[in-house]
Amino acid sequence: MYNCLIIDDEPIAIRVIKNHLSAFTDFLVVAECNNALEAMSVLSKEKIDLLFCDIQMPQITGVDFVRSLAHPPKVIFTTAYRDYAIEAFELNVIDYLLKPISFERFAKAINNFFELESLQNGKTSEKKENLNDNRNFIFLKADKKHYKVDLCDILYFESLGDYVMAYTINNKIVTKERISFMAETLPESQFIQIHRSYIVSIHKIESLGPGFVEINKKKLPVGRSYRPLLSRLLDNNN
């Protein structure tokens, strides 16, 4: 369970963050503060893993507040202003969310948090494209919800234009993401793109033939440009 602190001088903004956060079972809101000075007291007493911080607040801005902390928690800025983005990211924050904050955009910020947690907990120094290798789940948005899906249950993904169909051991989930986003998000040690429309679980490949792989008794095409990568993968596992 991750402890969260919300700092915002607008009650409505706090409610939006809490409502979005309630969809994820891994977070506990320890306190809600209307300004940075109140938050200082909380931070001195509680272990905070994730801080949601407004920028334009009385007495001190959120950027200056985070900059003043000797050991800040992970931070997601929530603001109605674009002007502070460069300053914010110089502080190595997780994300910079512009109000009004949609649930979809909020969920991406949470995924960024999970990715960084996985990296730090795994104590790995792998390059950026492998940051997700320690993850064992992913959130997929469907039917106005975010479903937590274990990566080991996924067979493959199929592109449907602006959507992606995730085929799992037990069901199918259609999510509003492009296949290119899934290719960037999924760990390379577990998934491989074999076609512009397909990403497959490496561990679920049952057999290969000329121009196809077979998963769960279904033949999926292997694009010409993807064949060398698949061949190297097979060579590395022989």
Side-chain angles (χ1 to χ4, degrees):
M1 186 68 71
Y2 298 106
N3 289 340
C4 300
L5 170 61
I6 303 174
I7 312 174
D8 204 303
D9 59 345
E10 299 176 0
I12 292 177
I14 291 177
R15 284 202 298 272
V16 169
I17 293 172
K18 289 181 68 177
N19 285 339
H20 286 346
L21 202 57
S22 66
F24 303 92
T25 59
D26 304 289
F27 298 93
L28 173 66
V29 177
V30 173
E32 308 161 20
C33 299
N34 298 123
N35 57 65
L37 297 181
E38 290 180 16
M40 287 180 184
S41 176
V42 175
L43 287 169
S44 67
K45 300 173 184 176
E46 302 282 352
K47 177 185 179 297
I48 300 300
D49 302 297
L50 180 58
L51 170 63
F52 293 92
C53 187
D54 189 17
I55 290 181
Q56 284 283 24
M57 295 185 295
Q59 300 168 309
I60 183 173
T61 69
V63 171
D64 288 337
F65 171 63
V66 172
R67 188 182 287 122
S68 73
L69 299 175
H71 303 286
K74 293 180 177 64
V75 178
I76 295 176
F77 277 122
T78 59
T79 179
Y81 303 92
R82 298 177 181 272
D83 307 8
Y84 300 91
I86 294 176
E87 288 181 80
F89 283 112
E90 285 176 349
L91 296 173
N92 296 318
V93 299
I94 296 288
D95 215 329
Y96 189 93
L97 302 181
L98 287 173
K99 300 175 182 177
I101 302 168
S102 70
F103 185 78
E104 181 177 10
R105 184 65 184 84
F106 185 88
K108 287 185 178 181
I110 295 299
N111 269 328
N112 290 342
F113 171 80
F114 281 136
E115 288 170 11
L116 187 55
E117 280 292 299
S118 294
L119 173 64
Q120 293 179 343
N121 291 340
K123 297 181 180 178
T124 178
S125 60
E126 293 180 0
K127 55 186 179 179
K128 183 177 180 180
E129 54 264 35
N130 291 326
L131 293 187
N132 298 320
D133 280 6
N134 292 325
R135 293 283 305 281
N136 55 17
F137 63 87
I138 191 172
F139 282 101
L140 297 177
K141 182 181 180 182
D143 304 323
K144 298 182 179 180
K145 299 179 183 178
H146 271 72
Y147 293 89
K148 185 177 180 181
V149 181
D150 289 337
L151 293 180
C152 63
D153 289 338
I154 297 173
L155 301 174
Y156 62 92
F157 295 89
E158 179 181 8
S159 173
L160 304 173
D162 289 336
Y163 293 80
V164 168
M165 174 83 81
Y167 293 82
T168 71
I169 293 173
N170 297 314
N171 61 3
K172 305 174 186 176
I173 300 174
V174 178
T175 183
K176 195 177 187 306
E177 295 289 359
R178 288 184 172 273
I179 197 77
S180 57
F181 173 79
M182 302 308 303
E184 294 174 358
T185 303
L186 295 164
E188 293 182 354
S189 61
Q190 299 180 54
F191 292 87
I192 184 171
Q193 186 161 6
I194 61 168
H195 187 276
R196 65 182 180 180
S197 296
Y198 292 97
I199 296 174
V200 304
S201 168
I202 296 170
H203 304 293
K204 296 297 191 297
I205 296 176
E206 297 170 348
S207 63
L208 297 96
F212 72 87
V213 301
E214 190 171 15
I215 295 179
N216 200 31
K217 299 185 175 14
K218 182 176 177 63
K219 292 182 178 180
L220 304 175
V222 177
R224 186 180 301 275
S225 62
Y226 297 92
R227 291 175 188 175
L229 180 61
L230 187 61
S231 296
R232 286 199 299 272
L233 174 69
L234 291 174
D235 291 340
N236 291 336
N237 284 276
N238 286 336

